[in-house]
Amino acid sequence: MIRRLMIVSLFALSMFGASFRAGEPFKPGKLSPAEVAALAPGLTLRFYAKPDAKTPLDARRIRLAALHIPADTSPTPFLEPGPIHARITGYLKNPLKGDYSFKLVGAGNISLKINDKPVLTLPADKDKRAEVELAKNYNKLELVIDGPAKGDTTARLYWAGEKFDFEPVPPDVLFSRNDDADLVEKTALREGRSLFANLQCARCHQFQGPTSSIVPTLPECLSKAPHLDNAGNRFQQDWLVAWILNPRELRPEATMPRVLTGPDAPQQAADIAAYLVSLKTTALAPLELNAKPADGTALAKRLGCSACHRPDEPTKPDELGRLSHFYTAAKYAPNALAHYLKQPQGRHAWTRMPDFQLTDAEASQLEGHLRNQSKGKLPAAPKGDPVRGEKLFTTAGCVRCHTVRPGEREPLVQLNRMDDPAKGCLAAKEHGKGLDYGLKDDQRRALQTFLRSDGKSLTRETPAEFSLRQVKALQCNACHRRDGESTRWHV
């Protein structure tokens, strides 16, 4: 699919650019229906080796007509620190024709063009404003930024209109093409990098760069899987067996892979579950003896739990992408859910579940409410052998991600090289000794694209890109409006 998009993009770009090279200037406000259909919110940021370079080194989407790169840092995870030469392009969509004022703030040499006409430059036009007549609908926007020899590279575009004073140009009026060939290619590269980190590939595999092994420092690569200490007092055995056997049957969004396959898999899952159930250190007493589920229902409504969760089966489509609570009662042992809600990050620092600072009574009320809502039933699992399960916990690779005792250090394990990115975990069908992550074709291709890179991006991070990934991963839009979008808070 990515390859087809690149071909289409190249054709679209050649047609789009040919009209301008043929001497036909951009007509403000005029885009063909096909060009409008190719637009997506945000602008396109590209980095170049030198000011007059034509081929970009990297490209990604950004929300604002703005840039900030601290001195001596990488402008993107895929580039070394060095001189900054960047261009921000796209369109400003204006509801009505009218006059607007613009000003630039930043450090370095910056130029602004609107509808292909020079408007402002820095440092010459520092503290100056320029009046521009914007057409109705789409106005072409371009910022060219060459960073200073020393210090941070910064740039921000402000505008003012008849009814508002100077403010940053808001994201909901900014658009650019999402099918440009270089943008499609670099987006796939970023998606592969993100998948490599979020799926914890570095727990088992060593990324071989052109000259040496890569030791990832990407934040997501350093995250840890949930601790399994006291699992016997926290989880129910039938749920553990079903989860270990195939996590995605209970939760399609699960990042944990399917590890066990073949005719012995059900018994092996039962053995591992039996081992985990044997881990009992601290009994979980009720937090509140007289908690009423009805109070928990009202509390769940006030907290907006339905913005992220739903009670129906996980296989049922949900347009909001919420997580299913269908098997919650089958998962947690009595009282364990209330203890979890009191301290979600206690055993999993990277959980997306927020800490609502619940009282003992509130946590118990919510547990009662969730148990009433959770209707999922699981078949009785075969009896497992905890001794065999303890061995399997190591040999099946569970130990690479999970610890089972408080304060336990993760073991040092031999990492496997990824010699063929089309086999093992990334195989389309037969995974062999690899793990089954349920990857879709586009995800598999994105990972394969990333594995063909030098891997050095795993040792670099930029705050702007990390924050965008976290906003998506934490589903901040469930409760908060951003860029003109509505929230998912249903009350």
Side-chain angles (χ1 to χ4, degrees):
M1 181 176 179
I2 291 176
R3 186 177 179 182
R4 289 200 303 269
L5 276 173
M6 291 178 67
I7 294 172
V8 172
S9 300
L10 287 169
F11 175 76
L13 280 174
S14 65
M15 297 298 293
F16 184 66
S19 64
F20 296 114
R21 286 192 292 271
E24 297 181 15
F26 170 73
K27 296 179 180 179
K30 304 293 184 180
L31 287 180
S32 70
E35 290 167 339
V36 172
L39 297 181
L43 301 172
T44 300
L45 168 65
R46 292 180 171 90
F47 290 93
Y48 297 82
K50 52 186 180 179
D52 57 350
K54 302 300 182 184
T55 303
L57 301 173
D58 195 10
R60 71 177 180 90
R61 303 195 66 77
I62 57 175
R63 297 176 54 247
L64 298 166
L67 183 66
H68 174 69
I69 302 172
D72 303 319
T73 65
S74 298
T76 89
F78 299 96
L79 297 178
E80 299 277 1
I84 303 300
H85 307 292
R87 297 172 202 167
I88 298 174
T89 58
Y91 298 94
L92 192 161
K93 186 179 181 182
N94 199 41
L96 293 172
K97 180 180 179 180
D99 294 328
Y100 292 82
S101 297
F102 290 86
K103 69 177 182 180
L104 282 173
V105 174
N109 297 311
I110 309 171
S111 64
L112 167 67
K113 286 184 179 181
I114 296 179
N115 294 327
D116 291 328
K117 296 180 180 179
V119 176
L120 289 168
T121 60
L122 288 182
D125 294 329
K126 182 180 180 181
D127 299 326
K128 292 183 180 180
R129 63 173 65 188
E131 302 294 328
V132 177
E133 182 182 71
L134 295 181
K136 180 181 178 180
N137 284 329
Y138 297 98
N139 297 267
K140 195 175 179 184
L141 186 69
E142 180 184 57
L143 278 168
V144 178
I145 305 160
D146 294 316
K150 294 183 179 180
D152 298 351
T153 297
T154 60
R156 185 178 288 271
L157 179 63
Y158 290 81
W159 73 337
E162 181 181 352
K163 297 182 179 180
F164 62 94
D165 203 354
F166 277 105
E167 65 179 19
V169 179
D172 55 353
V173 302
L174 299 175
F175 298 86
S176 63
R177 295 184 69 103
N178 67 352
D179 62 349
D180 291 344
D182 61 335
L183 186 60
V184 170
E185 176 189 356
K186 299 302 182 181
T187 299
L189 185 64
R190 281 174 165 79
E191 175 65 14
R193 175 177 180 261
S194 181
L195 284 167
F196 183 93
N198 288 321
L199 297 180
Q200 296 291 299
C201 300
R203 297 278 176 179
C204 297
H205 296 289
Q206 193 170 47
F207 197 111
Q208 285 294 129
T211 57
S212 63
S213 300
I214 303 297
V215 179
T217 58
L218 185 67
E220 292 94 327
C221 282
L222 303 179
S223 66
K224 299 177 185 288
H227 296 291
L228 297 177
D229 61 290
N230 203 29
N233 286 320
R234 295 163 52 202
F235 304 116
Q236 302 204 53
Q237 188 163 355
D238 289 344
W239 179 87
L240 278 172
V241 173
W243 176 261
I244 294 167
L245 194 58
N246 190 355
R248 288 185 300 281
E249 280 195 359
L250 303 183
R251 183 175 172 180
E253 310 87 357
T255 57
M256 177 173 158
R258 183 175 185 176
V259 178
L260 306 174
T261 57
D264 296 332
Q267 183 60 56
Q268 291 174 336
D271 291 341
I272 295 174
Y275 164 62
L276 294 176
V277 168
S278 73
L279 302 174
K280 296 182 178 181
T281 53
T282 305
L284 301 178
L287 295 177
E288 174 64 41
L289 291 174
N290 300 312
K292 298 179 181 179
D295 294 334
T297 302
L299 179 60
K301 186 175 182 179
R302 291 200 304 274
L303 294 177
C305 299
S306 64
C308 293
H309 298 285
R310 58 191 175 96
D312 38 14
E313 295 185 45
T315 54
K316 183 179 179 179
D318 183 69
E319 62 180 7
L320 301 179
R322 296 172 297 176
L323 299 181
S324 169
H325 268 324
F326 192 67
Y327 292 109
T328 296
K331 174 180 179 179
Y332 287 99
N335 308 318
L337 182 53
H339 282 266
Y340 167 74
L341 293 171
K342 278 278 292 183
Q343 195 180 11
Q345 290 83 15
R347 288 183 170 89
H348 187 199
W350 278 71
T351 182
R352 296 184 297 179
M353 178 71 184
D355 186 349
F356 286 105
Q357 303 293 310
L358 300 172
T359 65
D360 289 354
E362 289 172 334
S364 297
Q365 291 162 6
L366 280 176
E367 173 164 353
H369 161 71
L370 290 170
R371 288 192 181 279
N372 282 348
Q373 274 203 330
S374 177
K375 305 299 184 183
K377 305 295 182 183
L378 293 170
K383 185 177 180 180
D385 183 338
V387 176
R388 289 199 306 260
E390 184 174 8
K391 293 179 180 178
L392 278 168
F393 190 82
T394 298
T395 58
C398 309
V399 70
R400 290 178 180 265
C401 295
H402 296 282
T403 56
V404 296
R405 295 173 182 83
E408 180 183 19
R409 291 188 176 183
E410 296 172 3
L412 295 175
V413 295
Q414 181 67 39
L415 299 179
N416 303 316
R417 291 185 56 176
M418 292 176 289
D419 295 316
D420 190 341
K423 295 182 178 179
C425 302
L426 291 180
K429 293 182 179 180
E430 296 298 328
H431 295 274
K433 294 182 179 180
L435 306 179
D436 180 6
Y437 285 90
L439 296 172
K440 298 176 182 177
D441 288 343
D442 57 341
Q443 292 176 317
R444 189 176 295 106
R445 283 192 292 267
L447 264 168
Q448 291 166 343
T449 296
F450 174 69
L451 292 175
R452 289 191 287 268
S453 73
D454 61 15
K456 292 182 179 179
S457 64
L458 293 171
T459 66
R460 309 187 194 108
E461 188 51 280
T462 58
E465 295 197 43
F466 178 66
S467 66
L468 287 177
R469 294 200 309 273
Q470 285 295 286
V471 165
K472 181 180 180 180
L474 297 176
Q475 299 187 16
C476 299
N477 67 322
C479 300
H480 301 281
R481 289 184 175 87
R482 194 183 199 199
D483 300 349
E485 296 182 352
S486 60
T487 70
R488 302 188 324 205
W489 194 313
H490 287 245
V491 296

